[in-house]
Amino acid sequence: MKPIVKISHLDKFFGRLHVLKDISLEIEQKEVCCLIGRSGSGKSTLLRCINFLEEPSAGTIEVDGLLVHADVKGKERKDLIHNLRLKTGMVFQEFNLFPHLTVLENVIEGPVTVNNIEKNKAIENAKMNLDRVGLLEKKDEFPNKLSGGQKQRVAIARALAMDPRVMLFDEPTSALDPELIGEVLAVMKNLAEEGMTMMVVTHEMGFAREVADRIFVMGEGEIVEDGPPEKLFTNPEDPRTKALLERYHN
């Protein structure tokens, strides 16, 4: 089966700083992959390059059969990136909910304004996705009435409402109080069990070990090692992986 995500020879520079160095990887359909590494290793930049929230400097990105070259220009570029973003749902560290809209209105905003879905249909879809994240009863609340964990679950429902082929999570629990992290990770675990393809930048090693099919370890802009959790956690080969895991165990 053809991989649903394929990244080939991806480079990213910020000025003269070489942040991502010749990254190539493939993700299979329904695979859950976690990106781990020290702060500044390039994890979030890699994730954000996949849907062009960061501009790749070189290489190609392919999602669900849609191939985009880093150097594509003009109208073709705009159309390709628009279509690429429709295939990827993104959940950030910060929730970025519209404060003046209710939970339900936040979730239907994208399908109605971007996908031109009829409002009644978008509402039914939104209710289904709010139910998936355990927040249907909060549909008429405004974001300021929600906890951080609830806001992040609404953000997940909002991304799911666009019916993405791949979900991208950029440290989705790092802005949460410790007691709220579990409720967000539980929703992500349920999505994995439903067969959603997911790429997750995370420091939550318990989640990575339990839920990931594969873990990519990043260091200084490169993938230094990848493999299934049982191998990486019990028998890492690269010294940077060993040092990283020892840091989390201590």
Side-chain angles (χ1 to χ4, degrees):
M1 189 186 291
K2 192 175 181 183
I4 194 166
V5 177
K6 183 175 181 181
I7 296 170
S8 300
H9 304 295
L10 180 70
D11 280 285
K12 172 63 181 173
F13 288 86
F14 287 113
R16 293 166 64 180
L17 187 63
H18 200 177
V19 180
L20 297 176
K21 304 168 185 173
D22 195 30
I23 300 263
S24 294
L25 62 82
E26 295 183 354
I27 309 292
E28 301 299 323
Q29 199 166 335
K30 298 187 178 182
E31 197 170 24
V32 178
C33 296
C34 286
L35 300 167
I36 67 172
R38 291 182 183 272
S39 295
S41 60
K43 310 180 298 297
S44 292
T45 302
L46 172 57
L47 203 71
R48 292 168 67 88
C49 280
I50 292 172
N51 61 5
F52 279 72
L53 287 176
E54 293 289 358
E55 297 278 341
S57 304
T60 61
I61 292 163
E62 185 174 356
V63 178
D64 193 32
L66 182 68
L67 179 68
V68 186
H69 291 263
D71 58 357
V72 68
K73 297 283 194 293
K75 184 178 185 306
E76 182 192 12
R77 177 185 183 283
K78 185 178 178 182
D79 291 344
L80 281 170
I81 291 172
H82 173 76
N83 291 331
L84 185 75
R85 288 176 178 164
L86 291 179
K87 291 177 180 286
T88 57
M90 185 89 178
V91 178
F92 302 90
Q93 295 177 30
E94 300 296 336
F95 326 116
N96 299 321
L97 300 178
F98 294 112
H100 63 290
L101 300 181
T102 66
V103 164
L104 185 71
E105 289 167 340
N106 266 281
V107 177
I108 69 170
E109 179 73 12
V112 170
T113 60
V114 178
N115 288 356
N116 298 315
I117 289 175
E118 195 232 337
K119 189 172 181 181
N120 286 343
K121 187 176 178 184
I123 288 171
E124 288 309 307
N125 182 44
K127 287 178 179 177
M128 179 193 73
N129 282 306
L130 285 169
D131 196 36
R132 281 169 90 180
V133 302
L135 284 175
L136 182 56
E137 78 282 359
K138 299 287 187 182
K139 65 181 173 58
D140 298 319
E141 298 279 6
F142 286 91
N144 67 347
K145 293 286 198 290
L146 304 180
S147 70
Q150 289 170 334
K151 289 176 186 174
Q152 191 62 296
R153 286 190 280 152
V154 173
I156 293 171
R158 179 180 59 184
L160 291 171
M162 299 295 285
D163 199 22
R165 302 286 287 129
V166 180
M167 284 286 283
L168 308 174
F169 293 87
D170 187 8
E171 297 192 38
T173 59
S174 65
L176 299 178
D177 293 333
E179 67 271 17
L180 302 176
I181 289 171
E183 66 188 66
V184 173
L185 294 180
V187 166
M188 294 168 64
K189 184 179 177 184
N190 287 340
L191 291 179
E193 289 169 353
E194 290 174 14
M196 175 62 72
T197 307
M198 296 161 59
M199 295 183 69
V200 185
V201 173
T202 187
H203 293 287
E204 298 293 334
M205 292 298 147
F207 174 84
R209 188 166 196 164
E210 182 185 0
V211 180
D213 298 300
R214 199 148 44 111
I215 294 175
F216 293 91
V217 184
M218 293 195 66
E220 296 164 339
E222 299 176 305
I223 294 172
V224 299
E225 188 169 0
D226 76 274
E230 57 270 19
K231 176 184 176 294
L232 277 177
F233 279 94
T234 57
N235 190 27
E237 294 175 5
D238 192 280
R240 285 170 287 188
T241 307
K242 291 178 184 173
L244 181 74
L245 295 177
E246 282 167 7
R247 184 162 151 251
Y248 282 108
H249 287 319
N250 291 338

